[in-house]
Structures are given as structure tokens and as C-alpha cells.
């Protein structure tokens, strides 16, 4: 999985979560620029977080809500 650098494995999650210190962010960015597989992985993780956030904001799609409401009334 990934490029095999131990460092990027360690910094990936905290980086995506915004938990790194300023110095560590600089380091992480430098690594991502030099390491395309990590950069790709970071973009994936970031997208994943994004979708999770949307899912949390909208727990249920309108269509599903209506379907459930329909089930309840029958
Ligand atoms: Zn790497």
C-alpha cells in the first residue's frame, strides 16, 4: 500500500485531519511533491474526508426519506 515510505504513512492521517504542526505540514507538503504515490493517496484521503463530511451533514437523501415515509404510511 502506498509508496512504502514509513514517514508518509505516519503523517498521512494527521495531515488529512489537520493535526500536524506548521513545521510538519511543510515537511509533509515537501514529501507529497517529491512522492507522487503519496500525493495521490493524500488526494484520495482528502476526498474521502470530504464525502464523509457531506454524509454527516445530510444523513439521509431526500429520496430515501420519502421512501421511508411512504413505507410508514402504508
Ligand atoms: Zn511517500
Amino acid at each position: 500500500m502506498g509508496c512504502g515510505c514509513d514517514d508518509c504513512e505516519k503523517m498521512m492521517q494527521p495531515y488529512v485531519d489537520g493535526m500536524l504542526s506548521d513545521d510538519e505540514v511543510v515537511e509533509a507538503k515537501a514529501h507529497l511533491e517529491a512522492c507522487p504515490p503519496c500525493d495521490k493517496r493524500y488526494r484520495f484521503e482528502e476526498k474521502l474526508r470530504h464525502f464523509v463530511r457531506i454524509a454527516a451533514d445530510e444523513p439521509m437523501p431526500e429520496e430515501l426519506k420519502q421512501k421511508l415515509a411512504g413505507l410508514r404510511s402504508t
Side-chain angles (χ1 to χ4, degrees), residues 8-71:
C8 39
E9 280 301 316
K10 259 179 269 169
M11 63 83 178
M12 188 67 70
Q13 297 301 328
Y15 184 32
V16 179
D17 287 331
M19 304 290 284
L20 295 183
S21 69
D22 288 352
D23 282 356
E24 286 170 327
V25 167
V26 170
E27 236 173 84
K29 275 189 184 154
H31 180 83
L32 291 183
E33 262 169 45
C35 189
C38 284
D39 188 47
K40 217 172 150 193
R41 172 123 188 271
Y42 170 68
R43 284 167 209 276
F44 173 77
E45 296 277 347
E46 206 184 26
K47 227 179 270 174
L48 203 70
R49 291 284 189 291
H50 183 66
F51 283 125
V52 167
R53 218 169 295 140
I54 289 173
D57 284 347
E58 299 170 32
M60 219 179 267
E62 200 53 42
E63 202 189 322
L64 183 60
K65 253 187 231 171
Q66 279 168 11
K67 233 180 249 178
L68 288 176
L71 282 178

